[in-house]
Amino acid sequence: MTITQDTTRRFSAKWLQDLAVRYAMVIVMVLIISFFLYRSARFGTVDNVVTILIAAAPFALIALGQTLVILTGGIDLSVGSIIALSAMSGALTAKTFPDRIWLALLVAVAVGLIAGSINGLVVSIINVPPFIATLGMLTLASGLAFVVGGGAPINGLPAAYGQIANTEIFGLTIPVILMIVSIVGFGILMKRTAYGMRVYAVGGNRLAAEIAGVKTGRILFSVYAISGALAGLSGIMLSSRVISGSPNLGQGYELDAIAAVVIGGASLLGGRGTIWGTALGLLLIQTLNNGLDILTVPAYWQDVIKGVLIVTAVAVDVWASKRRV
Amino acid sequence: MADELGTLECRDLTKAFGGIPVLKGISLSLAPGTITALAGENGAGKSTLMKIASGQYRPDSGEVFVRGESLPSGNPQAAYRLGVAIVPQELASVLEMTVYENIFLGRELSGPFGLRRRAMIESARQILHVFGVDIEPTRRMGSLPVGLRQIVEIVKATNTGARVILLDEPSSAIAEREVGKLIEVMRTLRDRGVALLFTTHKMEEMRALADRVLVLRDGELVLDEPLRNLTDDDIVTAMIGRELEGLFPALPEPGTEAVLEIDNLHVSGAAAPLSLTVRRGEIVGLAGLVGAGRTELLETVFGIRKSIAGSIRVKGTTIKGGTPAAAIAARMAFVPEDRKGAGAVLSMSVLDNATLPRMDKFSVGGLLRQGFRRSQVREAMDAVKLRSRGLDQSMETLSGGNQQKVVLARWLTSPVDVLILDEPTRGVDVGARSEIYRIIVDLAEQGMAVVMASSDMPEILSLSHRALVLRNGIIAGELDSEQLAHPGVQDTIFRLASGLEGIDSSTPDPSTNNQKDN
């Protein structure tokens, strides 16, 4: 009997802790927003919110793909380079076939899908550690991006190319709408479908998933393919926004995407994390970037603050998972 | 005074985990220059006792003395200083380092110019030679077979000046021919005045090594005698001991229809192919020592491992091997040995774990049917009387017994023809055990063909219609229900499993032997 009471008492304390941990990110978010609102009149305007969303959109796509990969216990370092490669491929297509802009979109996404599929095959069939496989793809895709443009950016693209990203519907640009639709879509995918559950299972315990009949190799392959395709989509959006293709586009974006996923509470060991968490982590980073810009905090200090935030988020995660058992 | 040296003394040790007592007042004393065997079933408390004696666990009460000095509880460093070394079941050597680096790890020889590698190599060579193992000390640890690594670990322990060495199942992971070497090393240590305590399941090792035998059962020391006063039967009886009646339900009569047919299946690593037919409603027990190939056989049947040759049929239909998905489609279900490593995804909820193997049933066009799966899973979990805070509770917060119920019951939301169980009650307390037995018997009664590997002797004896003893991946003997009910059967199984008795030698005749057991 004593034991039961003991555990109940501990359970209620644990329950409070869990609550604090679960909503820690929301609390931090609210604090940061209140701080910026207090310090700057411009921060809260509709225009500024739209600015934040536009900045967030290309990151959102790769962060969603990254979430799936990290949920399986892997990592995808190549998305930044895939953005550059698909942007260059899209731009080259648009330059070659100026009348067929849809083809540029298709080519960019296909290039991303192919690069991601190669990652997936190398990881799931040859069992190369994801870190190494995607590090290789990072270098390879970055090199190819320069090859496509002969080392130079691709400019002088048809005006229609810019319409992909700059068309507005209900006052929102297509990338922003794409971001919102993707977050909702992936949220449903991960929470409500058999596929989502399989991804969680593979990351939580690959052997147990295999024994329960999950074709774990296919699941692993699919998350890298999806991540690559989303990077391709992100690439064409970024390139369309500035109506040019640059081989330096997307450089280092993979780290921001990983940061968003980790701040959102996902475990790099796999099996834990949510789309909702990633969306929140992403908005947190973008809000911070935007707010610090408005307050004219120097860029270098912005990086320092972001670095502290990332480590703090993971520290909270470790602290929380110790208390989970 | 010399007699006192190297003595380990435990006085009235108790320990409980999560309210379940594991040790209930253990007192024992080890004399220098002796080898003591510590026997007992899984979960009897052997490892816990060793961990307390080596300072890794803190006892709830009681004390450990080493050479008259009290061991500060829960302090492995102090135990090490006092000369107690433990060689764990899973070795703790650094595989990427060399043999001599491992031996000197933590107490490296160094001079003014850094490490004195040559001195360490020379010294390691000498120490190893004393034990009759001439391994080149500069070899990488990982390049050695497990048996030799273990000997290096033991050598390392003595090299730190250990006077008491505790070995947790030293022979469980090593090949037969390496056991001889291990025995030699342990005898050498005894002759040098070290007190050794080792755990084992194998009768032959006790016979070959031990001066004295201790048997733990359910946390109590039930036997402490010099080996020469004991027969094998005495030891086995002491280990099993408890009342078997009540724990096990009565077995229903099996049907006649063959459900699972294993035909000349050659399991990778097995000495030869094997055939087995299991009928509707029949429970077939698989007995054998650790490493006898039971798990490998079950995993091959379920498609987790690829077979070398042979076929598996369920109700006459041949199963495509090498994929669990095909086995599941053929209405097989599998409860693996390693619940945490292979049975459940601990980070997921009970509901999701139970949905996983039945994804096709619980989703339409990829979308999960939330209400339907919830009601179906609840029904299955209610049938096994799962105790949880609800279906959304995370698996990792359930007790071992309840986790096992989930891992078993999650298959029951669709019909199952073949149920494969690997150590179904490992790490499960006695209360939940009897419930799991009842569930297994119920399932057999509903018409499933059940294959169950178990190292728990009462399970084999009381829960099987028929038992097979495996050794080297092949069937060393088969016992029918009549033979299983015979009092001398445990000894027969031990003998078959350890190879003391050939395949051809018959089991003891019920009418002549072992009258004293009755």
Side-chain angles (χ1 to χ4, degrees):
Chain A
M1 286 309 282
T2 342
I3 300 145
T4 327
Q5 274 177 356
D6 203 288
T7 40
T8 324
R9 216 183 305 129
R10 231 187 301 141
F11 164 62
S12 64
K14 193 174 153 267
W15 179 74
L16 267 175
Q17 270 177 358
D18 277 0
L19 216 67
V21 167
R22 190 176 308 158
Y23 295 108
M25 221 40 74
V26 180
I27 295 165
V28 172
M29 187 88 182
V30 168
L31 286 177
I32 288 176
I33 290 174
S34 334
F35 175 74
F36 286 136
L37 282 174
Y38 170 70
R39 291 293 301 270
S40 155
R42 211 180 80 199
F43 181 77
T45 60
V46 173
D47 266 2
N48 192 52
V49 171
V50 170
T51 308
I52 294 178
L53 292 179
I54 288 175
F59 285 105
L61 294 175
I62 54 173
L64 290 172
Q66 193 72 250
T67 309
L68 265 60
V69 172
I70 286 178
L71 278 175
T72 65
I75 198 151
D76 189 349
L77 298 175
S78 66
V79 285
S81 296
I82 293 177
I83 284 178
L85 178 59
S86 41
M88 291 300 279
S89 313
L92 186 68
T93 311
K95 189 145 191 156
T96 319
F97 305 100
D99 304 332
R100 276 173 262 177
I101 295 304
W102 57 268
L103 192 63
L105 182 70
L106 202 71
V107 165
V109 175
V111 164
L113 181 66
I114 290 166
S117 301
I118 293 170
N119 281 337
L121 288 175
V122 172
V123 169
S124 66
I125 295 179
I126 315 176
N127 282 319
V128 173
F131 189 97
I132 307 294
T134 59
L135 183 66
M137 181 55 75
L138 180 155
T139 313
L140 186 153
S142 174
L144 279 182
F146 280 96
V147 170
V148 169
I154 298 175
N155 292 316
L157 298 173
Y161 189 67
Q163 284 170 6
I164 299 175
N166 297 323
T167 305
E168 286 192 12
I169 303 170
F170 305 123
L172 297 173
T173 58
I174 287 181
V176 173
I177 293 168
L178 203 57
M179 166 172 78
I180 295 165
V181 169
S182 308
I183 289 174
V184 173
F186 275 92
I188 292 171
L189 180 75
M190 296 313 290
K191 196 111 195 166
R192 295 263 176 256
T193 69
Y195 175 78
M197 187 183 290
R198 287 178 177 140
V199 171
Y200 276 101
V202 168
N205 187 337
R206 186 174 175 182
L207 184 58
E210 184 84 42
I211 287 174
V214 176
K215 290 173 177 128
T216 58
R218 282 189 204 176
I219 297 290
L220 275 182
F221 168 80
S222 71
V223 294
Y224 289 94
I226 290 173
S227 178
L230 288 172
L233 197 55
S234 180
I236 189 83
M237 292 298 157
L238 277 167
S239 149
S240 161
R241 201 164 79 193
V242 292
I243 321 186
S244 78
S246 156
N248 292 318
L249 218 55
Q251 222 171 46
Y253 278 29
E254 64 277 355
L255 297 181
D256 269 358
I258 293 167
V261 177
V262 168
I263 291 174
S267 160
L268 286 179
L269 300 175
R272 286 181 216 280
T274 57
I275 294 294
W276 161 242
T278 296
L280 208 61
L282 179 84
L283 284 180
L284 189 68
I285 293 179
Q286 296 302 326
T287 308
L288 208 60
N289 279 345
N290 174 273
L292 295 173
D293 271 342
I294 290 179
L295 298 184
T296 62
V297 174
Y300 305 125
W301 280 109
Q302 294 192 15
D303 282 348
V304 172
I305 293 168
K306 265 200 296 188
V308 170
L309 183 72
I310 293 168
V311 176
T312 310
V314 179
V316 168
D317 189 46
V318 171
W319 173 79
S321 62
K322 259 190 201 151
R323 270 151 191 79
R324 232 174 260 142
V325 189
Chain B
M1 267 326 276
D3 254 19
E4 290 296 308
L5 227 66
T7 310
L8 178 86
E9 226 180 293
C10 298
R11 281 190 206 147
D12 219 20
L13 294 176
T14 66
K15 179 82 185 167
F17 288 113
I20 299 161
V22 178
L23 295 180
K24 303 171 184 164
I26 305 290
S27 297
L28 61 91
S29 161
L30 301 181
T34 59
I35 300 181
T36 308
L38 180 60
E41 291 185 77
N42 293 326
K46 297 174 305 219
S47 295
T48 308
L49 178 59
M50 283 199 164
K51 283 179 176 157
I52 290 175
S54 62
Q56 296 174 54
Y57 285 174
R58 181 188 300 273
D60 294 340
S61 70
E63 257 189 299
V64 180
F65 294 92
V66 186
R67 284 183 278 175
E69 220 175 305
S70 169
L71 179 80
S73 58
N75 185 342
Q77 273 78 34
Y80 171 88
R81 261 202 317 279
L82 289 170
V84 181
I86 184 162
V87 180
Q89 207 171 343
E90 281 117 30
L91 297 181
S93 39
V94 186
L95 299 185
E96 290 306 321
M97 285 168 49
T98 63
V99 170
Y100 80 86
E101 283 168 335
N102 266 287
I103 291 178
F104 284 96
L105 190 63
R107 43 183 297 282
E108 301 83 357
L109 305 178
S110 56
F113 305 108
L115 287 178
R116 294 168 55 208
R117 289 187 184 274
R118 210 163 292 170
M120 285 194 280
I121 294 170
E122 208 35 61
S123 158
R125 200 190 311 275
Q126 279 171 17
I127 306 163
L128 289 166
H129 184 74
V130 171
F131 290 100
V133 262
D134 292 309
I135 318 166
E136 184 51 45
T138 52
R139 276 184 70 179
R140 210 170 53 84
M141 197 71 166
S143 71
L144 300 177
V146 181
L148 279 180
R149 270 186 240 159
Q150 189 157 36
I151 287 170
V152 173
E153 285 278 312
I154 297 171
V155 168
K156 177 181 162 190
T158 48
N159 193 36
T160 61
R163 307 302 298 163
V164 178
I165 298 184
L166 312 171
L167 301 116
D168 199 359
E169 296 211 21
S171 66
S172 66
I174 65 183
E176 205 65 43
R177 62 177 187 285
E178 294 171 339
V179 176
K181 200 88 205 164
L182 176 74
I183 289 175
E184 240 172 77
V185 168
M186 286 175 69
R187 283 184 179 148
T188 311
L189 284 167
R190 171 174 63 186
D191 297 342
R192 301 171 107 208
V194 174
L196 295 115
L197 177 70
F198 74 105
T199 57
T200 184
H201 288 294
K202 298 176 196 170
M203 207 54 74
E204 46 177 333
E205 279 170 26
M206 291 189 217
R207 286 274 169 230
L209 272 168
D211 304 305
R212 197 170 124 216
V213 177
L214 307 175
V215 176
L216 279 182
R217 188 174 72 224
D218 294 332
E220 281 175 277
L221 194 60
V222 291
L223 183 78
D224 180 357
E225 285 273 346
L227 180 78
R228 59 177 181 278
N229 300 346
L230 296 168
T231 66
D232 289 3
D233 263 355
D234 292 338
I235 298 171
V236 172
T237 310
M239 279 168 63
I240 313 280
R242 69 177 116 91
E243 290 286 323
L244 300 186
E245 282 72 36
L247 187 57
F248 295 97
L251 293 182
E253 199 58 35
T256 49
E257 177 199 353
V259 175
L260 174 68
E261 291 165 279
I262 299 171
D263 194 13
N264 275 310
L265 184 72
H266 197 160
V267 176
S268 172
L274 141 173
S275 295
L276 167 65
T277 302
V278 186
R279 290 171 292 156
R280 185 183 152 81
E282 187 183 30
I283 303 175
V284 174
L286 297 182
L289 301 174
V290 172
R294 291 171 298 170
T295 296
E296 289 79 358
L297 170 62
L298 297 184
E299 291 187 349
T300 307
V301 171
F302 194 67
I304 301 165
R305 292 165 186 262
K306 284 201 162 58
S307 62
I308 296 170
S311 68
I312 300 155
R313 287 190 301 277
V314 175
K315 289 196 164 166
T317 314
T318 304
I319 311 299
K320 178 174 170 279
T323 119
I328 294 169
R331 294 184 168 194
M332 284 201 215
F334 180 53
V335 177
E337 172 185 22
D338 179 5
R339 183 169 56 242
K340 294 195 162 107
V345 184
L346 292 182
S347 54
M348 300 201 321
S349 67
V350 171
L351 180 65
D352 287 354
N353 265 288
T355 307
L356 215 44
R358 298 286 182 238
M359 209 66 100
D360 292 338
K361 174 180 171 143
F362 291 138
S363 63
V364 172
L367 274 175
L368 292 168
R369 303 166 66 187
Q370 297 292 5
F372 178 63
R373 70 172 176 136
R374 195 168 277 273
S375 67
Q376 291 272 304
V377 170
R378 178 169 299 126
E379 203 173 293
M381 295 303 154
D382 282 348
V384 299
K385 298 203 181 90
L386 177 77
R387 274 178 289 274
S388 72
R389 296 200 300 269
L391 294 181
D392 296 311
Q393 184 176 355
S394 160
M395 277 292 272
E396 60 199 341
T397 57
L398 288 177
S399 73
N402 279 308
Q403 283 179 352
Q404 192 70 338
K405 284 186 192 171
V406 175
V407 173
L408 181 61
R410 63 181 182 154
W411 297 102
L412 307 181
T413 52
S414 287
V416 170
D417 288 332
V418 177
L419 178 62
I420 302 170
L421 305 165
D422 197 358
E423 303 284 357
T425 60
R426 170 162 295 174
V428 170
D429 58 85
V430 176
R433 233 174 234 222
S434 69
E435 287 184 60
I436 289 172
Y437 296 148
R438 184 188 51 79
I439 296 164
I440 294 171
V441 169
D442 275 357
L443 296 177
E445 197 160 19
Q446 287 166 27
M448 292 184 198
V450 182
V451 186
M452 172 188 71
S454 176
S455 300
D456 189 78
M457 199 55 83
E459 261 169 42
I460 295 288
L461 302 186
S462 306
L463 206 60
S464 318
H465 292 103
R466 183 154 66 96
L468 306 175
V469 184
L470 255 59
R471 181 159 48 84
N472 296 332
I474 55 173
I475 298 172
E478 179 171 342
L479 304 158
D480 60 26
S481 58
E482 209 169 295
Q483 287 166 311
L484 286 174
H486 185 265
V489 69
Q490 292 163 7
D491 188 52
T492 311
I493 291 177
F494 267 118
R495 286 172 176 279
L496 285 168
S498 55
L500 294 176
E501 199 159 311
I503 295 171
D504 299 327
S505 39
S506 58
T507 53
D509 186 336
S511 57
T512 55
N513 283 338
N514 298 80
Q515 294 301 321
K516 63 176 179 144
D517 283 73
N518 299 331

